[in-house]
Amino acid sequence: MARGLRPLAGALLLLEVAAAVSFVHHRYEEMVQALFRVQSECPYVTRVYSIGRSVEGRHLYVLEFSDYPGIHEPLEPEFKYVGNMHGNEVLGRELLLQLSEFLCEEYRRGSERVTRLLHDTRIHIMPSMNPDGYEVAAKQGPDSIGYLTGRNNANGVDLNRNFPDLNTFMYYSGEISGPNHHIPLPDNWKSQVEPETLAVIQWIGSYNFVLSANLHGGAVVANYPYDKSQDQRFRSHRRTVNTPTPDDKLFQKLAKTYSYAHGWMHRGWNCGDYFADGITNGASWYSLSKGMQDFNYLYTNCFEITLELSCNKFPPEKDLERQWMANREALVAFIEEIHQGIKGMVSDENNNGIAGAVISVQGISHDVTSGDMGDYFRLLLPGTYTVTASAEGYQPQTVTTTVGPAEPSLVHFQLKQDVVRKPPERKASGTRTNNKTLQKKVVPRATRRGTQR
């Protein structure tokens, strides 16, 4: 009897799931309610938290999915989606709300794919980084909205031009063998950014994010770093100079994963523009300074791309379901891209995790670092690599490993403490030839010199 009722129960659950999805635009209060509704429906695998407030005091809410919400599990990578950075580019906001409901519903019905994803990945979803700008845009309505209405935050600042400019420092320091990762922020950076930007910088500094995408509108293309051109001879706004990162091939693969899983992005022709494979290097499209995706790559371990998802920045509600169906698989497939390359633990001889250890891959001049627990994640394409882990006070360790096309390879490092050897003591000298008492020659104390690595 119970066995016969299972198909009926499954059908009723599907009807319930279908009824829960609403393809409408969500104002701030409605967005908050939607996030907390998902949390209440899937309480054991979700958590809602705020990373700060906007200029007008609205919370910047994040919905987390994990089998242990609120806890970082060693060797479990952290992923994030950020939507609505420009207040009038709203499709990403609605897609992320739909994605949140979808992940919860699929987990509840026992989807093997989603269950595995939530057990192996800690996913953070921020539907709106600019809730103040959204409210301005939403008041105009989809039909009468201006192209820039609501784009900026309440202080009139474009948040995707508001992050510290680490590109310029990197381009300069690259000529003198400077740092290629975790570039330090300028001393006065907090006074130069908006509250929303400050909250995001502190957020991404608190979590060891590995992969990310921020969702925009106005075009249909997957855009990857660098956004800012290294060639500064051009003064026009839309200068086009391809400016690849050391991980250019990997970024292209990440962008293509989204593009080809999308309903039509990969076709290339969209919104009057053509992008081969539906992807583009940011600076090759047009140079953008102080953007968020470059900042992620240069300041943290996170590889971020920018997804332009619709020609219409504020599409009418009747188009939302079609857009969701076009993006659903791509949104999930892109999260799954976090599980490639290598990962492992960096520990000392007593198996204590070493935080901040540098993981270098020979031939790729961009390093990552281990997290607070000593775990690290390095996205890589399939191939054979020579990898070195180093940390202050320890002897570096180098291994060669092969990365396959599926799961990441586990590569652990156990570093030995770097023993500082004392210089040999000088022997007493100055023995007199007439066999009188030995007398030690006075030796001036050696000046201690700093060691450069």
Side-chain angles (χ1 to χ4, degrees):
M1 181 69 177
R3 183 177 300 177
L5 289 175
R6 286 177 184 173
L8 177 60
L12 291 175
L13 178 59
L14 289 176
L15 288 174
E16 180 183 347
V17 166
V21 177
S22 55
F23 296 101
V24 297
H25 289 294
H26 293 75
R27 299 290 287 265
Y28 176 73
E29 294 299 335
E30 296 165 338
M31 179 190 75
V32 174
Q33 291 172 7
L35 293 176
F36 278 95
R37 182 172 62 249
V38 172
Q39 197 278 327
S40 66
E41 291 173 350
C42 292
Y44 301 111
V45 292
T46 61
R47 174 177 71 111
V48 176
Y49 66 96
S50 171
I51 67 167
R53 291 179 182 265
S54 66
V55 172
E56 295 181 344
R58 295 181 175 91
H59 278 286
L60 304 178
Y61 280 117
V62 177
L63 177 63
E64 174 192 333
F65 283 90
S66 171
D67 53 345
Y68 289 96
I71 299 173
H72 172 75
E73 300 174 70
L75 299 178
E76 183 173 286
E78 310 260 355
F79 178 95
K80 63 180 167 72
Y81 271 133
V82 178
N84 202 206
M85 186 181 196
H86 291 144
N88 63 334
E89 297 173 10
V90 306
L91 179 60
R93 174 188 180 113
E94 300 306 331
L95 291 177
L96 292 182
L97 291 178
Q98 292 290 339
L99 176 64
S100 300
E101 290 188 0
F102 175 78
L103 292 176
C104 174
E105 292 158 0
E106 289 294 291
Y107 182 81
R108 288 173 61 192
R109 77 177 187 88
S111 164
E112 181 180 347
R113 183 186 187 188
V114 170
T115 299
R116 182 173 65 251
L117 192 63
L118 268 58
H119 284 184
D120 296 344
T121 323
R122 193 178 180 197
I123 303 168
H124 305 255
I125 298 175
M126 181 193 291
S128 181
M129 181 180 166
N130 186 3
D132 298 349
Y134 176 87
E135 293 302 308
V136 173
K139 288 178 183 178
Q140 305 298 313
D143 298 326
S144 60
I145 190 169
Y147 192 75
L148 297 177
T149 303
R151 174 185 177 90
N152 299 337
N153 75 343
N155 286 335
V157 176
D158 185 331
L159 297 179
N160 205 31
R161 311 291 192 280
N162 189 232
F163 285 79
D165 182 7
L166 302 185
N167 295 72
T168 297
F169 179 85
M170 183 267 302
Y171 294 148
Y172 169 75
S173 67
E175 300 175 2
I176 55 174
S177 300
N180 62 19
H181 70 286
H182 290 76
I183 296 176
L185 301 178
D187 293 337
N188 60 343
W189 71 272
K190 288 187 179 180
S191 64
Q192 298 178 356
V193 301
E194 293 298 300
E196 297 90 347
T197 311
L198 173 63
V200 167
I201 292 175
Q202 292 175 333
W203 180 42
I204 65 179
S206 301
Y207 293 82
N208 189 14
F209 290 115
V210 179
L211 183 63
S212 171
N214 69 87
L215 281 56
H216 288 247
V220 179
V221 65
N223 175 351
Y224 56 89
Y226 288 119
D227 259 339
K228 183 172 182 176
S229 171
Q230 183 174 1
D231 195 334
Q232 299 301 310
R233 294 174 297 174
F234 296 90
R235 297 302 179 187
S236 63
H237 175 65
R238 297 186 72 87
R239 53 191 182 271
T240 57
V241 181
N242 188 62
T243 309
T245 68
D247 289 285
D248 186 57
K249 290 182 179 180
L250 172 62
F251 270 119
Q252 289 188 44
K253 192 251 186 178
L254 293 171
K256 285 181 182 179
T257 295
Y258 198 95
S259 175
Y260 276 89
H262 187 275
W264 52 81
M265 184 183 289
H266 59 279
R267 298 173 186 170
W269 284 109
N270 292 291
C271 315
D273 292 320
Y274 177 74
F275 301 99
D277 295 312
I279 69 172
T280 185
N281 170 263
S284 181
W285 186 11
Y286 64 91
S287 184
L288 182 160
S289 183
K290 301 182 180 181
M292 185 164 70
Q293 73 173 9
D294 285 7
F295 181 83
N296 270 268
Y297 184 69
L298 294 174
Y299 182 61
T300 76
N301 292 322
C302 190
F303 287 59
E304 178 169 288
I305 68 172
T306 300
L307 298 172
E308 302 280 352
L309 297 176
S310 61
C311 303
N312 189 338
K313 293 190 173 189
F314 206 123
E317 289 183 345
K318 63 182 179 63
D319 290 344
L320 294 180
E321 184 173 7
R322 172 175 173 267
Q323 291 285 356
W324 164 242
M325 296 309 297
N327 283 276
R328 183 180 66 184
E329 172 60 25
L331 288 166
V332 176
F334 186 74
I335 299 175
E336 292 172 331
E337 285 296 292
I338 203 169
H339 298 289
Q340 63 176 302
I342 60 175
K343 67 178 182 179
M345 301 295 299
V346 183
S347 59
D348 61 18
E349 294 175 281
N350 296 317
N351 293 319
N352 298 311
I354 301 175
V358 177
I359 311 300
S360 305
V361 179
Q362 184 176 313
I364 304 177
S365 58
H366 182 80
D367 304 335
V368 300
T369 58
S370 59
D372 292 341
M373 295 183 177
D375 54 343
Y376 76 91
F377 307 84
R378 204 343 172 157
L379 301 180
L380 293 168
L381 295 174
T384 300
Y385 299 91
T386 300
V387 186
T388 300
S390 57
E392 186 175 356
Y394 297 88
Q395 299 175 19
Q397 182 183 356
T398 300
V399 301
T400 298
T401 186
T402 299
V403 174
E407 296 296 318
S409 299
L410 275 176
V411 181
H412 300 302
F413 294 92
Q414 190 169 47
L415 305 186
K416 296 181 179 180
Q417 194 164 6
D418 192 7
V419 179
V420 180
R421 296 181 179 179
K422 297 181 180 180
E425 295 183 1
R426 294 177 180 268
K427 292 182 179 180
S429 60
T431 305
R432 296 184 183 274
T433 55
N434 58 359
N435 293 326
K436 289 189 176 181
T437 306
L438 284 174
Q439 296 184 11
K440 292 183 181 180
K441 182 179 179 181
V442 177
V443 180
R445 179 177 297 176
T447 303
R448 184 179 180 182
R449 297 179 181 177
T451 303
Q452 293 185 346
R453 290 176 178 259

